[in-house]
Amino acid sequence: MRSGEATGERWNHAFALYARGAALWWLGEHEAAVRDLLDCLRIKESLGDQLGITLALDLLTPAPVVRGDHEQAAMLLGATDRMWRTLGASLQYGPHYMKRRAMSERAILRTLPRDRFEAAKRRGAALSVAEAIALARGEAVQVPRDDEPDPLTGREREVAALVAEGLSNREIAERLVIAKRTVDSHIEHILAKLGFNSRTQIATWTERRERGAAPSA
């Protein structure tokens, strides 16, 4: 019972931080607003509140513009667009909400050419929720650029895709009708080329590339 009450208290506290952060942003108190929103995001993340995380991240999208990091702002726009679609929710939170998003986009486009803006949004859409949160916190996030060449051969891409499906090396060998030792060799080459040390990293990299290549919904 007490645990449920504590969770409710944290949820309410996070919502209060979100509301105050929004008010401070509109008053021009950007640093204070960002502090509140990041605190809100930390609580929402601990609660696993995907809607709350998306709302907080969305409100943080103009923050990089203020810092002069327009490409990061475009990536956050792309990340939150995808998160809203994943939730199956709309962006209809009133005219002030839509106006703020439009203002952020115009501010970014005053500095970034349209093609770079769209490319940055696509890279943002390829981020996981955890990576989008890290980006909002100003942490380093590695994501392939659209113009980054694929270092893998065609066969290595096939193997990587099957790793992402969760197949073992023996299962991959059976699927591709090749020797298991050949698959072992491909996996070693993939890890070396990408600088990884685990199959999980290969799977994440593959899924991210596929999301980045997929057309926007």
Side-chain angles (χ1 to χ4, degrees):
M1 181 68 175
R2 180 55 193 162
S3 176
E5 291 176 356
T7 296
E9 289 169 4
R10 292 169 65 207
W11 191 94
N12 288 330
H13 181 53
F15 183 78
L17 288 167
Y18 174 84
R20 188 172 69 179
L24 287 169
W25 188 270
W26 283 107
L27 290 171
E29 300 288 340
H30 295 151
E31 289 187 10
V34 168
R35 284 197 298 271
D36 276 352
L37 291 169
L38 288 177
D39 285 343
C40 166
L41 187 58
R42 184 162 46 250
I43 296 171
K44 292 297 188 182
E45 185 181 11
S46 70
L47 294 174
D49 181 353
Q50 294 302 307
L51 177 59
I53 289 170
T54 304
L55 282 166
L57 281 175
D58 201 277
L59 203 53
L60 281 163
T61 54
V65 177
V66 175
R67 299 195 301 267
D69 194 339
H70 294 76
E71 197 151 328
Q72 185 186 82
M75 288 177 67
L76 278 176
L77 279 174
T80 53
D81 281 348
R82 181 188 60 78
M83 291 167 69
W84 283 120
R85 290 196 300 272
T86 299
L87 286 168
S90 75
L91 297 176
Q92 302 303 317
Y93 278 85
H96 293 297
Y97 182 88
M98 299 305 294
K99 179 181 178 182
R100 181 188 55 73
R101 281 185 71 90
M103 288 172 62
S104 295
E105 187 165 322
R106 286 197 299 272
I108 296 168
L109 287 170
R110 281 197 291 270
T111 299
L112 283 185
R114 171 66 69 171
D115 58 342
R116 283 185 59 194
F117 171 73
E118 296 296 344
K121 282 189 70 177
R122 287 194 296 273
R123 293 200 304 279
L127 297 176
S128 66
V129 173
E131 288 169 332
I133 291 171
L135 183 68
R137 290 174 177 156
E139 299 170 6
V141 175
Q142 296 297 322
V143 59
R145 299 182 67 90
D146 286 5
D147 55 357
E148 181 179 294
D150 190 335
L152 305 184
T153 66
R155 178 61 90 182
E156 287 167 349
R157 284 196 297 274
E158 286 183 291
V159 172
L162 293 174
V163 168
E165 288 183 23
L167 273 64
S168 68
N169 286 15
R170 186 170 299 282
E171 290 170 329
I172 292 172
E174 292 173 355
R175 178 79 65 88
L176 298 178
V177 195
I178 57 178
K180 178 182 175 295
R181 63 177 178 276
T182 302
V183 176
D184 296 340
S185 178
H186 282 315
I187 296 290
E188 290 177 7
H189 291 159
I190 292 168
L191 290 170
K193 286 182 176 182
L194 299 179
F196 294 159
N197 55 28
S198 74
R199 298 171 72 88
T200 300
Q201 289 174 300
I202 294 175
T204 300
W205 181 88
T206 301
E207 291 165 359
R208 181 186 292 155
R209 298 284 294 205
E210 289 175 353
R211 287 200 304 269
S216 299

